Amino acid sequence: MAKCPFAVWMPLDGSPGAYVRGHPFKIVHHTTEGSTADAAFATYRTTRNIPHFTVDDRTIYQHADTDVAVSALKHPPGGTETNRSSAVQIELAGFAGRPKSGDCLKNMARLCRWIETTHSVPPEWPNGHPKPPVDGRDPDGHNRNQLNWETRVGITVTATCPTTCTGTPPTLRRK
């Protein structure tokens, strides 16, 4: 089992089961598109679309063991496998196109170092860094290379995941 020792364990239903064999671990950053972790929890319970972690400026919450798949990424029928592709999914409380608090970013960094160590994920971005939002909107044109997704280890955001265009890439800069 891979449970983060400094995260608050808050299990939620919604895992689609095991990972697809042979896909390397990757870290996927999302934003909740809401102001609070509590609002995100209510959405997770309603939709059963859950991440492994939710991070805010005070707490890191873990909802599922990182050795099982979760369901926060879009996965249209016939598309590239996303949720079950060894993707450790993190929701950062906040809005994609807006700056984040320093405390929220410190929690995110601490969690990423644990994931990198636990699952041998190097601090590399196989599809490149996402393009920053323009006026709070997705500029599009991100590298969504499917082969990289399936074969390379590293860090990504939803904007660079194949078949998962979910809106504006997160702005990971301080307020």
Side-chain angles (χ1 to χ4, degrees), residues 29-116:
H29 296 273
H30 306 248
T31 49
T32 62
E33 297 309 299
S35 300
T36 67
D38 287 334
F41 303 150
T43 300
Y44 304 156
R45 287 184 183 103
T46 301
T47 64
R48 293 178 48 91
N49 294 325
I50 66 166
H52 289 97
F53 298 95
T54 303
V55 177
D56 68 14
D57 58 353
R58 297 179 320 269
T59 309
I60 299 168
Y61 301 92
Q62 186 169 359
H63 309 299
D65 188 304
T66 58
D67 284 333
V68 299
V70 291
S71 53
L73 290 170
K74 287 184 180 179
H75 181 70
T80 299
E81 178 56 65
T82 52
N83 288 305
R84 296 183 59 230
S85 182
S86 302
V88 179
Q89 301 175 40
I90 307 168
E91 290 279 355
L92 186 66
F95 297 88
R98 297 183 192 165
K100 313 303 177 279
S101 74
D103 288 339
C104 200
L105 293 176
K106 285 178 190 172
N107 278 344
M108 177 66 86
R110 183 178 184 209
L111 176 58
C112 286
R113 299 305 79 82
W114 178 82
I115 296 167
E116 290 164 3

Side-chain angles (χ1 to χ4, degrees), residues 4 9 14 18-20 29 34 55 67 81 91 97 112 121 156 160 163:
C4 179
W9 181 244
Y19 288 125
V20 173
H29 296 273
V55 177
D67 284 333
E81 178 56 65
E91 290 279 355
C112 286
V121 177
T156 190
T160 60
T163 72

Side-chain angles (χ1 to χ4, degrees), residues 133-156:
V134 176
D135 296 324
R137 295 182 180 215
D138 186 357
D140 208 16
H142 306 287
N143 179 0
R144 293 187 172 96
N145 184 295
Q146 181 174 337
L147 184 61
N148 283 350
W149 176 258
E150 293 174 354
T151 62
R152 294 194 52 202
V153 176
I155 302 166
T156 190

